[in-house]
Structure formats: C-alpha cells, structure tokens
C-alpha cells in the first residue's frame, strides 16, 4: 500500500497531468477579470452564470481552494520525486562505481590506451596518480584485482544535486504561494488628503472590510500632469505621490513619501500608490414611473440614501461605483477614461425590504438613457460637484513572500549549476599484460562534450609524460 502511494505521488504522469490542468485553469483566470465588484460580474454574466462561477471560485481563481489543492498536490509530487531519487544520487556521490565492466568501459565516449614496459604495478600506479593530479583530477577511489588497478576520478559530482535544488526551489515557491493565499490579504483604501484611515476593502484573503491595527494618514498628496505642445496642462497624469504617516496606538511612528513602485512597508504590510481622484458629491433625483418627484439626494461613492414611496415601503439606494469619464474598454467592460468628469456615470444598487437587490446605471449627460435594470422608480444623475482629493492605496500583506524569494534565489542557483557545471567522470584501468602493462583511459560527461575532449586530451598527455618508455596503441 505504501509503495503504491509513493509510486502515485512520484509519478511523471501525475506531474504532466497537473501541469496541464494548471495551465488550462489559468486560462480561465486570464479570460475572467479577477477580484472585481460582484455587481460588475452580475451585469456581465447574469445571475445564473454568476452563481455557478462563484461556486467554482472563478472570480478569485488563484485563491480558490481547488487551485490551492492543485498546487499542494504538485508540491507533494515534486517532494516525493526528490525523496525517491535522493538516496541513489547520494550513494553515487559518496560511493561511486569504481570498477565497471569492459562493455561499459567501451561504451564511454572518450577512450585512449597506453602501453608501458614491464615494471611494478605500484610504480605504474604512482605515475598514473601523479599524472591525474597534474591534470586536476585527484583520485580517492581505487580498487585492486588480480590483473591490476581500477581508478576513478570525477569533477562536478555535486551537480547531480542540481535536480534536487531546483525541485526544492519550486517547492518553496509553491509553499510561499499557498501560505500567502491562505493567510495573506490584498485590498485597497482611499484616504482623503489630511485624513486618516484604517479600514480597507478586501480584494482577496476574505470579503468585505478589514480593519488594520494602526491608522494611515495621507498628510499630503501631489499630482503633476503632462503639457501639450502649447504648454497647457493635459488630463494625463505624469506623476503622483503621497506623504503617508503611520499612527500606531495614537503615536506617529513612521512617515514616508510613496509613489508608483516605491511603497511604504510597515509591519510587513505594503502600501502601494495605486490611484488617485476626488471625492465627488453626486445628486440623484428619484421620481415615480409616472414622473412625480420623490426627492433629490446627495451621495458619495460607497454611500447610501433612503426614501419612502407613497405606499410607505422604504428603499435604500447605494452608489456602488462612480465613473467620471465612463466608457466601454476593448474587453467590453466599463471603465473610466480619466478622472475628469467628461461623462459621469453611476452604478446604483437598489434594495427594498421585500425584494431582491437590483442594479441600474444613471448618466449625467444622458438622463433619458434606458436603465440597465428593472426598477420601480426613475433615477437621474443631475449634478456632480468636485470634492477633496484622495490617494488610492493598494494594501498587501503576504507572509509567503520570504519563502518565494528564497525559492527564487535557490532556483537561480540550481539553473546555474545545471547549465554551467559539467560532471566529468574518468576511469583509468591498469592491466598487467605479461611483458608490458596496458593503461586504459576512458571518460564521459553529461554536457559540453567538446570542452571535455580538450580536458581528456590533456589528461592523456600528462599520463604519457609520467610513464617512461610508453608506446601508444590506439
């Protein structure tokens, strides 16, 4: 039973199958934009398909339990492969085969034979050992039989472990990814200039808000824009940066100015400069389907307002997302072309006590545009007032990162060993032929054979010069 389990987890078929499955499932994660607002998925796929995709975790595929299970299975597969092969490789390193058969000797890629006149085997052995040492091949493995000596020497024997080093690196990388997915989180927070915040909205590692153990203040925010040919400022941001201050237990403990690719790190939590914008004040008008006004309501992104209809039923309206410059991108998804309110649009969620939540779009420039959802009232976006600037921060904590970096460093070391450290193996057989002695030199390498041929020729030359009265046979 144990052998079957070991055979299953160390199977090459299992490795190939897992790699194919991971590649195919990764396509899903590429096609479906990950970690978006559920309302966007509902609009894109519809409720039935959304429910199915949600069950399979397609909206956060790389953190889904089954994707983690595939990584864990591949990690076990690599671990079992290494453990199964490691004892044999260690044995070959520590106790190499010194005496090989004549057929194995003939099968080696490089061979040469020398004939020397009769002398004692010990004298010949001493000359051969000196020749090998002169060539950089110390010999610590020799076996004597009734006809002579078998000598074995090698270089780069530890390159046999490159296979295990690369496996170890991949195992560490996968372990780091699994730990990061299981324990880490990624979210975002918008902080208005001059204000503090500690509650982030999670994109992965959970759902909904998450409160940090400390507060982050955006003390100052700056943005610069490109100029056009006339020297006028365009809407294209050139650079934007924030001066962040960490307040821990009521004390100011750390401050740093961040910009894109220059994050702040506090207690292993990274704050990346992700976006910026203004906190606009939107005014939404609600009317009955017959056009009778219900009221005007001011709301900010993420905020809600309530009203009661004539039947007394209360309705809650939440501004899920605001797009100052609405457009459909090349993937058919809604986006904002800029932060300038050229085409303001709002995505609303409408909840009543006795009905399922509904969503609808409202456009400032197109108040009569048909609503995207079935609602009981007419909603119009009548004004957008600019507000204070805010800095958008991506917040990431990934405890698996040290393991991933360690794995990457080891992987580079393994690759360097694999491609740049050849394993040279050399056998020298001294045979007593009666009136003479035959020196057979044979060797092989696992890579860079032309280089080994030059080394092998040098060995033969050095051995020949150490053996007096020699005659080359073939």
């Amino acid at each position: 039973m144990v052998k079957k389990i070991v055979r299953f987890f160390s199977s090459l078929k299992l490795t190939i199958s897992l790699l194919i499955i991971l590649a195919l499932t990764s396509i899903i994660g590429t096609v479906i934009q990950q970690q978006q607002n559920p309302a966007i998925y509902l609009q894109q796929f519809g409720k039935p398909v959304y429910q199915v995709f949600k069950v399979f975790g397609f909206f956060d595929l790389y953190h889904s339990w089954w994707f983690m299970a595939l990584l864990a299975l591949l990690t076990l597969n690599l671990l079992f492969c290494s453990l199964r092969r490691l004892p044999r490789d260690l044995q070959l390193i520590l106790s190499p085969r010194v005496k090989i058969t004549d057929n194995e000797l003939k099968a080696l890629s490089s061979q040469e034979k020398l004939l020397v006149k009769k002398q004692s085997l010990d004298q010949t052995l001493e000359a051969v050992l000196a020749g090998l040492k002169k060539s950089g091949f110390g010999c610590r493995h020799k076996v004597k039989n009734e006809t002579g000596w078998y000598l074995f020497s090698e270089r780069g024997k530890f390159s046999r472990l490159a296979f295990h080093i690369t496996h170890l690196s991949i195992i560490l990388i996968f372990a780091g990814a699994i730990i990061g997915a299981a324990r880490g989180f990624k979210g975002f927070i918008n902080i208005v200039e001059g204000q503090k915040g500690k509650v982030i909205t999670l994109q992965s590692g959970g759902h909904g808000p998450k409160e940090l153990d400390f507060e982050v203040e955006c003390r100052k925010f700056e943005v610069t824009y490109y100029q056009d040919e006339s020297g006028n400022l365009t809407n294209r941001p050139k650079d934007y940066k924030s001066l962040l201050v960490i307040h821990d237990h009521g004390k100011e403990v750390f401050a740093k100015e961040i910009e894109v690719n220059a994050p702040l790190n506090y207690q292993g939590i990274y704050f990346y400069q992700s976006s910026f914008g203004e906190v606009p004040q939107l005014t939404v008008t609600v009317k009955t389907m017959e056009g009778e006004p219900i009221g005007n309501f001011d709301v900010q992104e993420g905020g809600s307002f309530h009203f009661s209809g004539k039947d007394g039923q209360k309705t809650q309206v939440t501004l899920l997302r605001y797009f100052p410059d609405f457009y459909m991108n090349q993937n058919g998804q809604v986006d904002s072309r800029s932060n300038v309110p050229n085409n303001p649009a709002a995505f609303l969620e409408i909840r009543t006590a006795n009905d399922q939540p509904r969503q609808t779009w409202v456009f400032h420039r197109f108040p009569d545009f048909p609503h995207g959802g079935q609602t009981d009232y007419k909603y119009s976006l009548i004004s957008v007032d600019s507000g204070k600037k805010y800095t958008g921060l991506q917040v990431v904590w990934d405890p698996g990162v040290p393991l991933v970096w360690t794995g990457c460093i080891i992987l580079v070391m393994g690759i360097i060993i694999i491609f740049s450290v050849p394993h040279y193996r050399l056998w020298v057989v001294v045979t007593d032929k009666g009136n003479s002695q035959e020196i057979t030199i044979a060797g092989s390498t696992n890579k860079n054979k032309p280089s080994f041929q030059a080394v092998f020729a040098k060995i033969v030359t050095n051995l020949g010069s150490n053996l007096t009265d020699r005659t080359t046979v073939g």
Side-chain angles (χ1 to χ4, degrees):
M1 185 64 182
V2 175
K3 288 184 178 179
K4 286 184 178 179
I5 293 175
V6 172
R7 195 177 300 119
F8 170 77
F9 279 109
S10 59
S11 165
L12 181 61
K13 291 181 180 178
L14 178 63
T15 309
I16 295 174
S17 301
L18 288 172
L19 290 175
I20 291 174
I21 293 172
L22 285 171
L24 292 176
T25 52
S26 295
I27 294 175
I28 299 174
T30 304
V31 173
I32 299 177
Q33 197 168 1
Q34 300 289 287
Q35 301 174 351
Q36 296 297 302
N37 192 303
I40 296 177
Y41 291 130
L42 277 170
Q43 184 197 24
Q44 185 175 357
F45 299 108
K47 191 171 182 179
V49 177
Y50 168 80
Q51 294 290 356
V52 174
F53 283 7
K54 184 180 179 183
V55 169
F56 285 102
F58 286 174
F59 302 132
D60 193 9
L61 185 142
Y62 303 112
H63 295 87
S64 61
W65 66 268
W66 58 267
F67 193 84
M68 291 296 105
L70 287 174
L71 285 184
L73 192 56
L74 184 57
T75 303
L76 280 177
N77 176 237
L78 295 174
L79 185 62
F80 272 80
C81 285
S82 289
L83 292 178
R84 189 176 181 183
R85 181 171 162 175
L86 184 60
R88 185 190 64 181
D89 288 342
L90 288 177
Q91 185 178 13
L92 288 174
I93 291 173
L94 299 174
S95 303
R97 285 187 63 200
V98 178
K99 188 176 180 180
I100 59 177
T101 65
D102 291 341
N103 289 333
E104 289 173 330
L105 205 63
K106 291 177 182 176
L108 296 175
S109 57
S110 300
Q111 292 187 46
E112 193 74 37
K113 287 187 178 181
L114 305 174
L115 274 183
V116 297
K117 288 186 176 179
K118 180 72 174 180
Q119 58 183 342
S120 73
L121 281 175
D122 290 341
Q123 286 180 314
T124 304
L125 177 65
E126 183 179 350
V128 169
L129 290 175
L132 290 176
K133 186 176 182 181
K134 187 177 180 181
S135 306
F137 281 81
C139 178
R140 292 187 297 177
H141 305 283
K142 53 182 181 292
V143 174
K144 187 177 182 181
N145 64 1
E146 60 278 4
T147 60
W149 285 92
Y150 282 84
L151 310 180
F152 175 76
S153 184
E154 60 184 335
R155 275 189 196 171
K157 62 181 179 180
F158 290 105
S159 64
R160 287 183 180 275
L161 297 178
F163 166 84
H164 304 283
I165 292 173
T166 52
H167 272 203
L168 173 64
S169 67
I170 296 172
I171 289 171
L172 288 176
I173 291 172
F174 283 174
I178 293 171
I179 292 173
R183 298 190 55 203
F185 62 79
K186 182 168 72 174
F188 63 88
I189 182 173
N190 294 334
I191 304 177
V192 177
E193 185 178 17
Q195 296 184 8
K196 302 174 186 174
K198 63 184 303 184
V199 179
I200 66 174
T201 302
L202 292 176
Q203 289 177 296
S204 64
H207 300 284
K210 177 180 178 61
E211 186 172 320
L212 301 175
D213 296 331
F214 51 86
E215 288 184 309
V216 184
E217 176 191 357
C218 176
R219 182 161 294 177
K220 188 178 181 181
F221 177 77
E222 291 181 347
V223 56
T224 56
Y225 294 90
Y226 285 102
Q227 295 180 340
D228 59 17
E229 296 178 350
S230 303
N232 299 318
L233 292 178
T234 66
N235 294 327
R236 292 188 301 136
K238 183 179 181 181
D239 188 22
Y240 47 103
K241 49 192 176 183
S242 306
L243 175 59
L244 301 183
V245 180
I246 302 296
H247 297 264
D248 199 346
H249 294 87
K251 296 181 180 179
E252 183 178 318
V253 294
F254 189 62
K256 182 181 180 182
E257 186 177 78
I258 68 166
E259 54 188 338
V260 177
N261 297 326
L264 178 149
N265 176 16
Y266 183 70
Q267 295 182 351
I269 301 176
Y270 285 85
F271 294 84
Y272 293 91
Q273 181 70 73
S274 174
S275 62
F276 69 92
E278 293 182 344
V279 184
Q281 187 80 14
L282 278 64
T283 302
V284 176
T285 291
V286 183
K287 296 180 180 179
T288 64
M289 299 304 287
E290 292 76 24
E292 187 174 349
I294 299 294
N296 297 334
F297 303 91
D298 295 332
V299 62
Q300 295 179 344
E301 186 173 11
S304 303
F305 63 86
H306 302 78
F307 67 87
S308 298
K310 288 187 175 180
D311 56 357
Q313 186 181 42
K314 291 185 177 179
T315 301
Q316 174 183 303
V317 180
T318 302
L319 175 55
L320 292 178
R321 298 192 70 183
Y322 166 66
F323 297 87
D325 195 1
F326 177 92
Y327 85 113
M328 303 288 288
N329 63 26
Q330 59 184 2
N331 298 322
Q333 298 171 338
V334 296
D335 205 346
S336 186
R337 199 184 302 275
S338 69
N339 290 321
V340 180
N342 294 321
N343 184 24
F347 189 48
L348 305 178
E349 182 182 74
I350 299 150
R351 289 177 178 269
T352 57
N354 303 318
D355 204 355
Q356 293 291 325
R358 301 173 183 176
Q359 291 85 29
T360 188
W361 284 95
V362 288
F363 299 89
H364 180 55
R365 294 177 56 186
F366 308 99
D368 298 325
F369 190 85
H371 292 169
Q374 297 295 324
T375 62
D376 297 329
Y377 298 91
K378 289 182 179 179
Y379 299 88
S380 302
L381 179 59
I382 61 172
S383 69
V384 178
D385 297 328
S386 60
K388 292 184 177 179
K389 289 181 180 177
Y390 70 82
T391 180
L393 305 175
Q394 187 182 57
V395 187
V396 179
W397 181 62
D398 190 343
V401 167
L403 274 180
V404 172
W405 276 111
T406 304
C408 290
I409 293 172
I410 295 176
L411 179 62
V412 171
M413 293 169 57
I415 292 174
I416 291 174
I417 294 173
I418 288 174
F419 288 101
S420 63
V421 180
H423 183 201
Y424 294 163
R425 295 185 300 165
L426 186 71
W427 282 269
V428 178
V429 181
V430 181
T431 308
D432 192 352
K433 293 289 186 180
N435 294 327
S436 63
Q437 291 167 349
E438 183 182 77
I439 314 298
T440 303
I441 311 160
S444 68
T445 182
N446 59 346
K447 60 177 74 76
N448 198 1
K449 292 183 179 178
S451 174
F452 179 71
Q453 289 295 336
V455 173
F456 186 80
K458 181 180 177 183
I459 293 170
V460 173
T461 302
N462 289 334
L463 286 180
S465 65
N466 276 34
L467 296 167
T468 57
D469 300 328
R470 66 181 175 85
T471 302
T472 301
V473 176

